[in-house]
Amino acid sequence: LANNGVEVVLPRGQGCCGGLSWHTGDLAAAQGFARRNLAAFPADVDAILTNAAGCGSAMHEYHLVLRGTPDEARAEAFRHRVMDVSVFLARLGLRAPLRGAGRPRKIAYHDACHLANAQNVRSQPRELLRAIPGVEVCELADAHLCCGSAGTYNIDQPEIAASLGRQKAAAVMATGAEVVATGNIGCLTQLQAQLRRAGSPIEVRHTMQVLRDAGAG
């Protein structure tokens, strides 16, 4: 972000988004996390950016977490400023020069469910990756299927989650890509674990890490 001309402010008082508490029905804890972040983030910024799809989705729902409380209106205003970092950068346009790897490179892209389905963010990460010289973005078969991480799902339903993870790893390997990029910590962890179990050398990277390594951040 800084390399692309954005002033970045990191509020010291910020904490967990509260998404896992919200998903598992611990409303009191979720409200506590939400209020902490409402207080931590300044009101005079253009956007509140996140690089974790699950966190962004939870922060977009703060008006629901705090519905019926004195903080509901503040939460409503807050959520409209929350944005995935890929959306912000795609709108801004990359200003920092991008360098290629010196040879064509295939990068698979995995749609995190909380990014594609909850936030309707699909094209922007792909646009950013395609802006890197020499990169071919590979689409996965059955891309709509979850990788199996899904918040606490891999803990609550480990067998089904592992099965989904194996399917997703196989889809990634079938592309012939050297790298798979995604935008959520749960997906990154799940993909890395399943690709390792399959003996695959494919690197698992966050979309922003790929851009950083190409000189955009």
Side-chain angles (χ1 to χ4, degrees):
L1 288 167
N3 283 359
N4 282 276
V6 180
E7 180 185 358
V8 181
V9 178
L10 301 175
R12 292 192 176 189
Q14 67 179 297
C16 174
C17 69
L20 293 181
S21 300
W22 176 233
H23 295 161
T24 54
D26 190 345
L27 179 60
Q31 289 180 334
F33 286 125
R35 289 191 179 103
R36 176 176 176 174
N37 285 326
L38 288 182
F41 284 87
D44 60 347
V45 294
D46 296 307
I48 297 168
L49 304 183
T50 177
N51 61 2
C55 299
S57 297
M59 293 164 78
H60 275 126
E61 293 183 345
Y62 276 0
H63 65 304
L64 301 177
V65 175
L66 294 167
R67 176 175 286 176
T69 75
D71 296 302
E72 183 178 357
R74 194 156 57 117
E76 178 69 28
F78 178 94
R79 78 182 184 96
H80 288 294
R81 291 186 295 141
V82 175
M83 188 183 303
D84 188 77
V85 64
S86 67
V87 175
F88 186 85
L89 276 177
R91 289 181 183 176
L92 178 70
L94 295 176
R95 301 177 185 181
L98 291 168
R99 62 181 183 275
R103 58 181 175 79
R105 195 178 198 200
K106 298 175 74 172
I107 298 178
Y109 181 74
H110 163 63
D111 282 297
C113 294
H114 275 109
L115 202 54
N117 300 328
Q119 298 182 55
N120 197 31
V121 174
R122 297 180 177 85
S123 63
Q124 296 91 334
R126 290 170 167 83
E127 290 172 14
L128 294 171
L129 292 171
R130 289 191 181 107
I132 303 171
V135 162
E136 176 189 348
V137 177
C138 305
E139 298 296 337
L140 304 184
D142 297 320
H144 64 287
L145 294 179
C146 177
C147 70
S149 177
T152 60
Y153 192 74
N154 56 350
I155 298 172
D156 298 333
Q157 300 289 341
E159 291 183 6
I160 300 174
S163 175
L164 288 168
R166 287 191 295 271
Q167 291 180 57
K168 188 63 67 174
V172 171
M173 290 186 289
T175 66
E178 304 167 61
V179 177
V180 56
T182 190
N184 195 46
I185 181 60
C187 301
L188 287 162
T189 304
Q190 177 81 327
L191 287 167
Q192 189 173 63
Q194 294 298 333
L195 286 168
R196 281 179 177 173
R197 286 186 183 126
S200 172
I202 296 174
E203 292 182 74
V204 182
R205 309 289 280 169
H206 192 286
T207 305
M208 294 301 114
Q209 290 178 304
V210 178
L211 287 174
R212 177 201 63 196
D213 294 345

